[in-house]
Amino acid sequence: GRVGLKILSNLADRRLARAEVTLPFDRLATESMDGKEVAEGVASAYRFAYADPYRAATHNKGVMNGIDPVVIATGNDWRAIEAGAHAFAARSGTYRPLGRWVVKDGALHGSIELPMQVGIVGGTIKSHPTANAALGMLEVESASHLGEIIAAVGLAQNLGALRALATEGIQRGHMSMHARSVVARVLAGESEEVRQKVYAEVVRSRDVKEEKVLEVFEALKKQ
């Protein structure tokens, strides 16, 4: 017969990476919510994503927010990983969430499984100084080890997003991170104690601008 296509599939479902975590309730508590309430909120968000493909798409986008940067930093093909992950999420015929979260035995349990066709040799990986540096920092021992690290980062990023949804909300969480970044940039030469005081006031004002940071800083100096 005639060969039609000579290319490997990006749905590498024989090269799966897995990660899991168990978090006691007290590790999830916030100033306004106890840990059990947060855990149940995270698990509820997972169930919503499992039932609704539209929510699952955003759920998995959060997973890939963690995975893609590590894949890129280590010289691997993030587009192949993305394609394989989303195809794997739809393998049942319905698009499902990659990160799974349940509450049991007094803790929040999370797990993830997805295709992870990454490498640590070959192509440009060994000749690329940035990729080599990233692999060295991670102390990677094998391609499968790298895949497990990447899966764990994806699961952690997923938890961060769901925890924000279950507590303060994504928009407020993003504003908080943006405020911290602006304060750190504008007051790079100041002490951490000063930056924290300015950050708290800027967040309270909801006016996250460089001018506001300087205004608060000047007011702080006069106290």
Side-chain angles (χ1 to χ4, degrees), residues 92-172:
S92 68
T94 300
Y95 191 80
R96 302 291 192 192
L98 292 166
R100 298 176 292 277
W101 300 94
V102 297
V103 174
K104 64 178 181 180
D105 302 327
L108 176 66
H109 299 266
S111 61
I112 189 170
E113 178 183 64
L114 74 165
M116 194 57 63
Q117 63 276 36
V118 292
I120 60 173
V121 296
T124 61
I125 295 174
K126 280 298 182 184
S127 62
H128 198 295
T130 302
N132 270 314
L135 290 169
M137 290 173 62
L138 294 171
E139 299 182 351
V140 172
E141 299 173 357
S142 64
S144 60
H145 182 207
L146 176 59
E148 291 168 353
I149 291 172
I150 295 171
V153 174
L155 187 63
Q157 185 73 25
N158 184 217
L159 174 61
L162 297 185
R163 184 175 182 273
L165 282 172
T167 55
E168 62 184 3
I170 287 289
Q171 184 174 1
R172 183 177 173 187

Side-chain angles (χ1 to χ4, degrees), residues 175-185 192 196 199 203 208:
M175 185 184 75
S176 178
M177 287 189 293
H178 178 54
R180 195 175 296 279
S181 175
V182 173
V183 170
R185 183 175 68 252
E192 180 62 24
Q196 280 295 109
Y199 162 77
V203 170
V208 186

Side-chain angles (χ1 to χ4, degrees), residues 41-122:
V42 170
S44 177
Y46 161 69
R47 292 193 298 271
F48 180 12
Y50 189 86
D52 181 17
Y54 291 89
R55 173 59 206 152
T58 307
H59 180 106
N60 289 343
K61 187 263 186 184
V63 171
M64 303 313 291
N65 279 348
I67 286 176
D68 288 349
V70 186
V71 173
I72 293 169
T74 55
N76 283 280
D77 186 348
W78 68 272
R79 293 150 301 188
I81 300 300
E82 282 268 0
H86 294 299
F88 189 72
R91 68 192 184 282
S92 68
T94 300
Y95 191 80
R96 302 291 192 192
L98 292 166
R100 298 176 292 277
W101 300 94
V102 297
V103 174
K104 64 178 181 180
D105 302 327
L108 176 66
H109 299 266
S111 61
I112 189 170
E113 178 183 64
L114 74 165
M116 194 57 63
Q117 63 276 36
V118 292
I120 60 173
V121 296

